[in-house]
Amino acid sequence: MTLVRYFGPRLDEDSAEPTPNALGSKGFGLEMMVRLGLPVPPGFTVTTALTAAVRARGGRLDATERAAITAAL
C-alpha cells in the first residue's frame, strides 16, 4: 500500500496513474496541476488507503505510517 505520494519537484512518477479514489480530490488535483507544468509548491498527499486504515483503527497511526509521514515532512 502506498502511504504518501509526493508532488512538485519530487513528483512520484510510479507506474500507477493517479486517481481521485487513490489520492482524494485535492491530492489528485494538485498532482494534475504539477503534471501540466503549473507552479505548485512541493508537498505530499496522504493516500485514501492510509486514511481508511487509520480510521479503521480509531485514528491511530502504526509505526510504519508514522515514519512515512515524518519522512515526507
Side-chain angles (χ1 to χ4, degrees):
M1 163 175 50
T2 301
L3 303 177
V4 297
R5 188 165 167 119
Y6 297 96
F7 59 85
R10 191 177 166 184
L11 179 66
D12 280 344
E13 303 231 11
D14 61 13
S15 59
E17 277 296 312
T19 65
N21 289 337
L23 301 178
S25 296
K26 287 181 187 176
F28 178 76
L30 287 165
E31 187 160 327
M32 290 297 98
M33 290 190 295
V34 168
R35 289 175 182 265
L36 289 171
L38 297 171
V40 176
F44 68 96
T45 301
V46 174
T47 63
T48 57
L50 173 55
T51 302
V54 170
R55 282 187 179 170
R57 290 191 307 272
R60 292 180 305 278
L61 292 167
D62 69 22
T64 302
E65 296 160 347
R66 187 176 308 280
I69 292 171
T70 300
L73 291 172

